Each structure stands twice: as structure tokens, then as C-alpha cells.
């Protein structure tokens, strides 16, 4: 059973934010916040982008681009391959069932 939402504190670019999440989601949320913080610091330190909002937008665009061009496309193709394999397994099992009756 999942616990109800609770408030945790995350830090991004030196600013603290309170975020609601369940106990089960806490470690994943902290990892995501740490990853975002790292990406935002990279942008801040390696470019002329100024201001947390602009840095956040650039980080978001970079992460979305990475997901769609690398992770997302690969994940979709991997899922499609697994589904095709599962369908083939189901077809073979059901074919065997037809001979029983």
C-alpha cells in the first residue's frame, strides 16, 4: 500500500524547494532533482545564460531533446521489439491450445 503524499525538500541551483511526493517516490524524485541540478549547473557554468528561469528552460529543452533523440526513440523501438516477441510467444502457446480441443 502506498503512503500518502508528504513534503520533502530538494535543492536546485542553491535554492530549496518543497515538493510533495509519496515515500515510495522519494528516492526517484531526489535523483531527478540532483540530475536537473547538475544539468542546470553545467549550463550556467558553460554559457552566457543568466537567470534561473532561463537556465531551467535551456536544461528542459536539452533534456527533452536527449529523451526524444536518444532515450525516447530507443525505448520505443525496444518496447516494440519486446511486444512483437510477446505476441509471437502468445501465438505459439495459443496454437498448441487449439490442438488440445
Amino acid at each position: 500500500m502506498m503512503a500518502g503524499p508528504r513534503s520533502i525538500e530538494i535543492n536546485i541551483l542553491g535554492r530549496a524547494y518543497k515538493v510533495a511526493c509519496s515515500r515510495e517516490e522519494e528516492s526517484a524524485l531526489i535523483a531527478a532533482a540532483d540530475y536537473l541540478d547538475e544539468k542546470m549547473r553545467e549550463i550556467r557554468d558553460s554559457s552566457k545564460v543568466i537567470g534561473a528561469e532561463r537556465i531551467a528552460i535551456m536544461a528542459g529543452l536539452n533534456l527533452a531533446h536527449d529523451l526524444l533523440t536518444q532515450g525516447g526513440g530507443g525505448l520505443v523501438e525496444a518496447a516494440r521489439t519486446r511486444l512483437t516477441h510477446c505476441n509471437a510467444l502468445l501465438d505459439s502457446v495459443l496454437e498448441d491450445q487449439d490442438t488440445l480441443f
Side-chain angles (χ1 to χ4, degrees):
M1 186 168 124
M2 289 186 62
R6 58 195 213 107
S7 184
I8 65 166
E9 185 174 288
I10 60 170
N11 289 287
I12 298 175
L13 287 183
R15 290 186 61 187
Y17 298 91
K18 292 276 188 185
V19 181
C21 72
S22 68
R23 186 172 304 279
E24 293 81 7
E25 296 172 320
E26 184 176 336
S27 62
L29 179 61
I30 291 170
D34 289 345
Y35 185 68
L36 178 60
D37 181 59
E38 176 186 334
K39 294 301 178 187
M40 288 178 66
R41 286 177 186 280
E42 287 174 8
I43 290 168
R44 182 194 64 193
D45 296 344
S46 68
S47 70
K48 295 179 181 180
V49 178
I50 298 173
E53 184 177 317
R54 288 177 186 235
I55 292 170
I57 290 170
M58 293 304 299
L61 285 172
N62 288 340
L63 294 171
H65 178 265
D66 290 348
L67 176 66
L68 293 173
T69 60
Q70 298 168 11
L75 292 174
V76 169
E77 193 54 43
R80 185 173 287 128
T81 300
R82 289 185 72 184
L83 284 171
T84 301
H85 178 70
C86 287
N87 281 337
L89 286 172
L90 285 171
D91 287 344
S92 69
V93 169
L94 292 174
E95 186 176 292
D96 291 343
Q97 293 292 320
D98 287 343
T99 59
L100 294 176
F101 300 103

